[in-house]
Amino acid sequence: MAMESIEELFEHELKDILGGEQALVDALEQMAQESSDRDIRKAYTQHRKETQGQIKRIEKIFRSLGQKPEPETCLGIEGLIKEKKMFMREKPTEELLEFFNVGAAQKVERYEITSYESLIDMADKLGLTDAVQLLEESLQEEEAALNKLKAIASEFDVTDETEQVGETEEDAEGQHATSRR
Ligand code: FE
Ligand code: ZN
Ligand code: FE
């Protein structure tokens, strides 16, 4: 059956972000486990809790539309999670993995922010006032999470491993972005 209405598109996009949020509950847990920094761990754990609340809001919207909350695989977010897994093959130091994760988490927040902005626009066009309200609440949490991660990244103090472990020719060229402060 062909899709013909904004309402159907809205439901489709809602399923997409539901799938994304569900995948992120596990991903945030994973990143919290990988972190050795108390504040960063706290940031992931707190956003994981918020993510569970965001899932509840999405389910509530589905119910108000008389629909079952069925997730779709969110390839955008799954892709970012996959990139993180691929990065492990580089065998990064604990510190570099931490720095990478903070960046990857920011990409995720950007994706979510855009998803929620589009959903809000559609809900607004459809006159779904309650849905707009719920989606706005989640959008605000995502924006706060992004700002928090940005602050964490800018405060990130990384030592130049290449200098500590003795320089090879490749290291001496200083191609590691983290060595520049
Ligand atoms: Fe989220
Ligand atoms: Zn789809
Ligand atoms: Fe988020």
Side-chain angles (χ1 to χ4, degrees):
M1 240 210 303
M3 187 187 287
E4 289 170 338
S5 67
I6 292 188
E7 182 157 355
E8 286 169 289
L9 176 62
F10 177 70
E11 282 167 16
H12 178 273
E13 293 299 288
L14 210 53
K15 284 178 183 176
D16 181 87
I17 195 69
L18 178 58
E21 297 287 18
Q22 286 176 347
L24 287 171
V25 173
D26 291 340
L28 284 162
E29 162 108 75
Q30 176 78 34
M31 292 204 295
Q33 277 171 13
E34 280 166 7
S35 177
S36 53
D37 181 288
R38 221 177 110 255
D39 291 339
I40 299 178
R41 236 178 9 242
K42 217 174 113 191
Y44 291 144
T45 309
Q46 190 204 324
H47 196 51
R48 183 177 184 268
K49 234 176 267 162
E50 284 171 344
T51 301
Q52 288 168 324
Q54 292 166 359
I55 290 170
K56 292 241 159 65
R57 288 190 194 111
I58 297 166
E59 289 171 345
K60 203 167 166 187
I61 296 170
F62 272 113
R63 266 185 266 121
S64 75
L65 296 169
Q67 304 277 344
K68 261 174 75 184
E70 277 164 358
E72 261 204 42
T73 306
C74 178
L75 289 175
I77 285 172
E78 297 280 357
L80 291 168
I81 293 170
K82 201 167 174 185
E83 277 187 347
K84 182 193 140 31
K85 283 183 185 143
M86 299 247 314
F87 179 72
M88 298 299 281
R89 291 189 203 164
E90 306 283 338
K91 299 191 181 71
T93 62
E94 205 177 293
E95 194 171 44
L96 288 176
L97 176 62
E98 183 99 282
F99 200 41
F100 175 91
N101 281 351
V102 171
Q106 287 179 70
K107 290 182 192 175
V108 168
E109 294 312 318
R110 295 257 183 216
Y111 184 99
E112 292 183 288
I113 286 167
T114 305
S115 296
Y116 281 115
E117 283 172 346
S118 299
L119 282 163
I120 289 165
D121 182 45
M122 282 185 256
D124 190 48
K125 285 177 166 66
L126 291 164
L128 302 171
T129 332
D130 292 349
V132 169
Q133 177 64 39
L134 290 164
L135 294 166
E136 286 277 7
E137 284 170 35
S138 295
L139 175 62
Q140 275 167 28
E141 287 172 353
E142 309 297 27
E143 281 170 345
L146 176 62
N147 288 334
K148 177 101 204 224
L149 289 161
K150 272 197 229 175
I152 288 171
S154 71
E155 282 165 24
F156 217 87
D157 193 12
V158 278
T159 50
D160 191 344
E161 309 269 339
T162 61
E163 275 165 25
Q164 289 175 353
V165 295
E167 304 197 354
T168 65
E169 241 170 75
E170 209 184 293
D171 290 337
E173 282 165 31
Q175 11 173 272
H176 301 269
T178 50
S179 65
R180 276 184 281 131
R181 291 232 53 221

